[in-house]
Amino acid sequence: MASLTSPFVSPILLLLASNVFMTFAWYGHLKFKAAPLALVIVASWGIALFEYCLAVPANRIGHEVYSAAELKTIQEVITLVVFAVFSVVVLKEQLTWNHAIGFALIAAGAFFVFQGRAA
C-alpha cells in the first residue's frame, strides 16, 4: 500500500486540497453577490495563492510518476468531484441527470488517458 508521501498518492492529495481552494476562489463569491466585483476579484486572488502553493508541488512531485497529461486528467476529475460537492452543499444547487452524464463522459475520457499506462 502506498504511503501518503508516495509520489503516486501525495500529488492526488495536494491536488484535492488545491481544488478546494480554487473552487472557493472561483465560485465562493456567488454567495456574496452584493460585494463589489473588485473586492471579490482581490479575495479570489488571495484564495488562489493557496491553491497555487499546493498545485505546483503536486505537479512537481507527481511528474516523477505521472505524465503531464495524466496529472491534468487527475486534476480535472478532482475538480469535477470537488465542484459537484461544492455546488450542492455551498451553493445549494441541484445536480441533474444531464450533469451526471456529462461528468461520466469526462470520467470515461480519464479512463482512456490511463489505458496502456506502463506498469
Side-chain angles (χ1 to χ4, degrees):
M1 175 152 212
S3 77
L4 295 178
T5 59
S6 160
F8 287 99
V9 176
S10 60
I12 293 169
L13 296 175
L14 288 167
L15 286 171
L16 178 63
S18 77
N19 271 278
V20 170
F21 280 105
M22 201 57 171
T23 300
F24 274 94
W26 282 13
Y27 301 102
H29 65 89
L30 297 176
K31 295 289 284 184
F32 306 98
K33 292 184 181 187
L37 186 56
L39 176 63
V40 298
I41 290 170
V42 170
S44 292
W45 271 87
I47 295 168
L49 172 65
F50 294 106
E51 186 270 340
Y52 277 91
C53 289
L54 296 168
V56 170
N59 288 308
R60 174 77 56 100
I61 294 164
H63 201 247
E64 294 177 28
V65 295
Y66 298 113
S67 70
E70 290 170 335
L71 284 166
K72 181 60 178 172
T73 302
I74 292 166
Q75 184 267 326
E76 291 297 338
V77 170
I78 290 170
T79 296
L80 281 176
V81 171
V82 169
F83 175 78
V85 171
F86 180 88
S87 181
V88 171
V89 173
V90 176
L91 298 178
K92 308 292 187 215
E93 294 184 357
Q94 183 179 9
L95 294 178
T96 62
W97 65 268
N98 55 318
H99 295 130
I101 291 171
F103 291 172
L105 290 170
I106 293 169
F111 170 80
F112 285 106
V113 168
F114 283 91
Q115 289 307 297
R117 182 172 182 10

